Amino acid sequence: AQKITQTQPGMFVQEKEAVTLDCTYDTSDQSYGLFWYKQPSSGEMIFLIYQGSYDEQNATEGRYSLNFQKARKSANLVISASQLGDSAMYFCAMREGGDRDDKIIFGKGTRLHILP
Amino acid sequence: NAGVTQTPKFQVLKTGQSMTLQCAQDMNHEYMSWYRQDPGMGLRLIHYSVGAGITDQGEVPNGYNVSRSTTEDFPLRLLSAAPSQTSVYFCASSPVSNSNQPQHFGDGTRLSIL
């Protein structure tokens, strides 16, 4: 069963608008972490933001914030005031397990296109 | 500050050939992992390691072997390459498990199997 689901294969957003990229996850662990990465056309993986399962506040990093709804098992990425440089592939990832048995798995990604 | 180094960057193989994708990190990270990236499939975990001498299977381990004899190195071996293994391969590392630290990724190896 897929553990990380990103339901939006592609999105088109007007520059300067806010955008929300969806991510839902499935785990039976109480302790887990959620990550968002950006992959521009050049191919490198760029870390954006992290949310721990025990964090009470939603994570924020500059223009990025994470809308974490634990009961719904969702961890949506919000990009405020989008820029042309935000055009890229975005991946949600989850670290589950613990101690010496954890692994990190990714969703299929969302390709974001920012329109001028 | 090298980070995660993958070699080679590009490789073309014939079906049935074997090869090793190299991955080295200089950050003393315990956790290392290999992913393959295919269009529409995201990054799929092949194998991972939580420390020297310890490896485990990920989501798509068939056709691949790994070993972790040192903290720094985590090579990925294709024993008999198949066209279905044509992909971009990423190696990643991060500090101790159960951590909020993100993975550091290599630049990837683009592998084509003819």
Side-chain angles (χ1 to χ4, degrees):
Chain A
Q2 191 173 356
K3 292 207 167 189
I4 298 284
T5 303
Q6 295 182 251
T7 58
Q8 306 149 310
M11 288 186 67
F12 290 84
V13 173
Q14 208 68 38
E15 189 182 10
K16 299 182 183 177
E17 290 184 351
V19 56
T20 297
L21 305 181
D22 295 341
C23 174
T24 57
Y25 59 92
D26 182 26
T27 181
S28 57
D29 288 347
Q30 296 301 309
S31 176
Y32 54 90
L34 298 153
F35 301 82
W36 276 92
Y37 288 86
K38 171 184 179 181
Q39 187 182 42
S41 58
S42 52
E44 73 267 31
M45 295 291 288
I46 301 169
F47 165 70
L48 297 178
I49 197 167
Y50 168 83
Q51 180 84 41
S53 59
Y54 293 120
D55 294 341
E56 295 186 354
Q57 301 288 332
N58 285 343
T60 61
E61 289 287 346
R63 294 187 300 114
Y64 304 107
S65 61
L66 204 151
N67 183 1
F68 182 48
Q69 299 188 40
K70 194 171 182 178
R72 296 185 177 184
K73 293 188 175 178
S74 76
N76 299 339
L77 177 70
V78 180
I79 306 174
S80 63
S82 58
Q83 302 171 356
L84 295 178
D86 294 332
S87 293
M89 197 76 175
Y90 289 81
F91 292 102
C92 179
M94 177 174 66
R95 182 171 216 158
E96 62 175 351
D99 294 330
R100 301 187 67 77
D101 190 33
D102 65 349
K103 56 186 176 183
I104 304 168
I105 56 173
F106 283 75
K108 293 185 177 182
T110 295
R111 185 170 295 281
L112 178 64
H113 304 268
I114 306 298
L115 304 173
Chain B
N1 203 8
V4 179
T5 302
Q6 287 185 239
T7 55
K9 294 189 184 305
F10 303 94
Q11 184 71 46
V12 179
L13 292 178
K14 293 181 179 179
T15 298
Q17 286 185 317
S18 63
M19 86 159 294
T20 300
L21 306 186
Q22 301 291 346
C23 176
Q25 53 92 7
D26 61 358
M27 297 170 283
N28 201 32
H29 287 169
E30 289 189 344
Y31 186 90
M32 295 187 74
S33 54
W34 276 102
Y35 297 90
R36 59 177 291 174
Q37 184 176 16
D38 304 292
M41 300 299 292
L43 278 77
R44 291 182 290 171
L45 182 64
I46 304 172
H47 286 285
Y48 66 102
S49 169
V50 296
I54 305 170
T55 63
D56 210 341
Q57 296 183 348
E59 302 170 286
V60 288
N62 293 340
Y64 307 94
N65 284 345
V66 292
S67 59
R68 186 92 182 271
S69 56
T70 67
T71 300
E72 296 78 18
D73 300 300
F74 191 43
L76 179 72
R77 298 183 185 86
L78 286 71
L79 296 179
S80 179
S84 61
Q85 294 177 305
T86 293
S87 188
V88 179
Y89 291 85
F90 284 98
C91 178
S93 73
S94 64
V96 296
S97 57
N98 207 20
S99 165
N100 63 354
Q101 296 301 306
Q103 293 190 96
H104 297 251
F105 282 82
D107 291 336
T109 294
R110 188 173 295 274
L111 183 63
S112 295
I113 314 296
L114 305 178

